[in-house]
Amino acid sequence: ITGLLFWLVFSNYGISAIGFYILAIYTAPLIYMDFKFMRLPNTWVAFCFIGMIANYAQMFIMKKINVDAIKLGAISFGLTSVFYLSIYILSRGRGIGFGDVKLAPVLVAFAAISSWQRGFVAFISGLILAGILAIPLYIFRLVNRKTAIPLGPFLIVGGWLAILLPTNLVDKFLSLWLL
């Protein structure tokens, strides 16, 4: 998966997108760890965060983004943090894990470096993907309300979709939400 992500990042952003390469290195193993152990280790999520900061710094230094894009990233990070932390607190940690609370804002801010639209796609698509899997599992009684389903892999796939999708597909996705 990492090799494919490297190729996709290179195809879309070129060799200089250091932060995206860091994200590619750490997200593929995070998918495995969350499915296998239901854990998103702090160290791995922290490296994703470092990659996000490196991405913003590099893009700013190379004059590919301005201060407004950095503000958008910070706002995206903050709002996503509040949303996921609220779910965590209201569900008393049973709705989502704290690793999801830490990972989701990083992925949304990574996508928001390009536009708020990509940030929104990252924010919502992971939840939609998880629902697409969970609903049939519930319908066919393969799981129940108390069965834990890892959210991290879906957040990661949603984040990568937001980062890599062509702009016309991002626009079509947003049109479904009347945005």
Side-chain angles (χ1 to χ4, degrees), residues 6-26:
F6 266 57
W7 178 75
L8 291 169
V9 168
F10 180 77
S11 298
N12 286 286
Y13 296 96
I15 193 73
S16 63
I18 301 298
F20 287 128
Y21 291 108
I22 293 170
L23 185 66
I25 290 168
Y26 288 98

Side-chain angles (χ1 to χ4, degrees), residues 108 111 115-130 132 154-155 157-179:
V108 170
S115 67
W116 72 265
Q117 293 91 338
R118 288 185 185 276
F120 181 78
V121 170
F123 178 82
I124 202 75
S125 61
L127 297 172
I128 290 171
L129 291 170
I132 288 170
F154 302 101
L155 296 174
V157 170
W160 276 112
L161 284 173
I163 291 166
L164 297 172
L165 278 176
T167 304
N168 65 326
L169 292 179
V170 170
D171 292 341
K172 284 183 182 180
F173 181 85
L174 292 173
S175 70
L176 296 173
W177 294 86
L178 303 175
L179 296 174

